[in-house]
Amino acid sequence: MDYQEFKDSLSQDSPPETVSEPLKALWYAAKDDWEAAHNIAQSKEGTPVYDHLHAYLHRVEGDTWNAGYWYKRAGKPVFKGSLQEEWEALAHAML
């Protein structure tokens, strides 16, 4: 699956079954289901991609302190662009 196919899947009622769990979390985040996305991010704490996703989700929530904690755990700098730009960067990195 490429980026455009993933983005097009947002018109569906559920995420594509063939994508990774972190991508499913991004799918839920794009559909404004923060709780479902957060549950996935929490499921493998200590794994860098999940921790990075966790940071993004707390940034979405507006909890910058908590987001900073998760960026640090993921070994990533705090993202300086918009939430949409970060969503896109994460999706591209995971695909």
Side-chain angles (χ1 to χ4, degrees), residues 9-46:
S9 77
L10 295 172
S11 66
Q12 304 299 315
D13 293 331
S14 58
E17 294 199 17
T18 58
V19 299
S20 68
E21 289 299 302
L23 275 170
K24 286 179 184 176
L26 277 180
W27 187 94
Y28 285 118
K31 300 282 273 187
D32 295 324
D33 189 345
W34 189 91
E35 191 68 35
H38 190 251
N39 286 340
I40 292 170
Q42 285 185 315
S43 72
K44 292 193 178 173
E45 288 181 13

Side-chain angles (χ1 to χ4, degrees), residues 19-89:
V19 299
S20 68
E21 289 299 302
L23 275 170
K24 286 179 184 176
L26 277 180
W27 187 94
Y28 285 118
K31 300 282 273 187
D32 295 324
D33 189 345
W34 189 91
E35 191 68 35
H38 190 251
N39 286 340
I40 292 170
Q42 285 185 315
S43 72
K44 292 193 178 173
E45 288 181 13
T47 306
V49 69
Y50 285 79
D51 290 350
H52 191 184
L53 176 61
H54 207 158
Y56 165 74
L57 291 169
H58 280 291
R59 193 168 164 245
V60 168
E61 185 185 36
D63 186 349
T64 55
W65 182 90
N66 205 359
Y69 169 81
W70 288 104
Y71 282 115
K72 185 174 181 178
R73 285 207 41 185
K76 300 287 184 182
V78 173
F79 194 85
K80 299 295 182 191
S82 71
L83 291 171
Q84 181 62 36
E85 289 170 332
E86 186 170 17
W87 186 94
E88 291 170 3

